[in-house]
Amino acid sequence: MIFREAKLEDIDQIQVVRNSVKENTLSDPGLVTNKDCEEFMFERGKGWVCEIDNQIVGFAIADLKENNIWALFLDPAFEKKGIGRKLHQIMMDWYFSQTDEKVWLGTAFNTRAEQFYRQAGWTEAGTNGSKEIKFEMTKEDWSRINTP
């Protein structure tokens, strides 16, 4: 497993992973374009990938402009291997090295993602629209959770 910063040439494989998920699916895969990915990874924030045998199997993207986790997705065939936790750690460490602002994300109700974020220490902060739970994380909480 190789964890690294995402590159422009990774976007096609990132889109394959995004559209392979079984939960938090897009109603229309065309809603998130390659240009959107490029903007969020290189203008608004940063992205990371996990690569196995030259194939991207997971990715994460943080958005500094809206203080948001824009994406954290894994190919379903690679779930339960610690990849999501590692991408989350890398992304959150980077995010809080850039800003002291709390970060938020939205995820669908009653999903493995909801359980993942709760176990990772995120705090429920209402809803994001009608179909998602809103979670938040402060720099202080992140530091407390990650102090050995």
Side-chain angles (χ1 to χ4, degrees):
M1 274 185 230
I2 297 169
F3 292 88
R4 60 171 175 79
E5 287 184 22
K7 299 183 276 194
L8 189 61
E9 55 267 27
D10 294 329
I11 291 176
D12 287 342
Q13 284 190 59
I14 284 171
Q15 291 281 41
V16 169
V17 170
R18 177 64 184 96
N19 291 305
S20 74
V21 300
K22 306 287 188 246
E23 295 181 336
N24 289 308
T25 57
L26 292 170
S27 58
D28 173 5
L31 291 174
V32 176
T33 67
N34 286 4
K35 185 71 181 142
D36 293 332
C37 292
E38 183 178 344
E39 178 184 347
F40 277 87
M41 291 188 317
F42 304 109
E43 296 170 29
R44 297 175 64 116
K46 190 176 282 210
W48 298 265
V49 298
C50 175
E51 192 176 49
I52 299 175
D53 297 327
N54 296 315
Q55 175 190 356
I56 291 173
V57 300
F59 71 98
I61 301 171
D63 173 16
L64 286 174
K65 186 173 180 184
E66 298 291 329
N67 302 105
N68 173 253
I69 299 307
W70 192 64
L72 174 54
F73 292 99
L74 300 179
D75 179 319
F78 293 88
E79 291 177 353
K80 298 187 178 181
K81 299 180 186 310
I83 296 168
R85 274 192 309 278
K86 180 70 173 172
L87 284 167
H88 181 259
Q89 179 82 41
I90 293 166
M91 174 176 60
M92 296 296 288
D93 284 346
W94 176 82
Y95 178 87
F96 286 121
S97 76
Q98 303 298 306
T99 182
D100 292 337
E101 295 293 322
K102 72 181 168 192
V103 62
W104 72 275
L105 63 85
T107 195
F109 294 96
N110 303 312
T111 58
R112 289 186 59 227
E114 176 188 351
Q115 294 171 340
F116 173 89
Y117 292 116
R118 287 187 191 285
Q119 290 171 350
W122 288 75
T123 302
E124 187 173 340
T127 58
N128 181 42
S130 62
K131 297 181 180 177
E132 290 189 332
I133 298 170
K134 182 178 183 179
F135 286 105
E136 294 179 341
M137 177 76 71
T138 64
K139 186 172 189 172
E140 294 75 25
D141 285 342
W142 182 248
S143 296
R144 182 179 41 78
I145 292 165
N146 288 284
T147 301

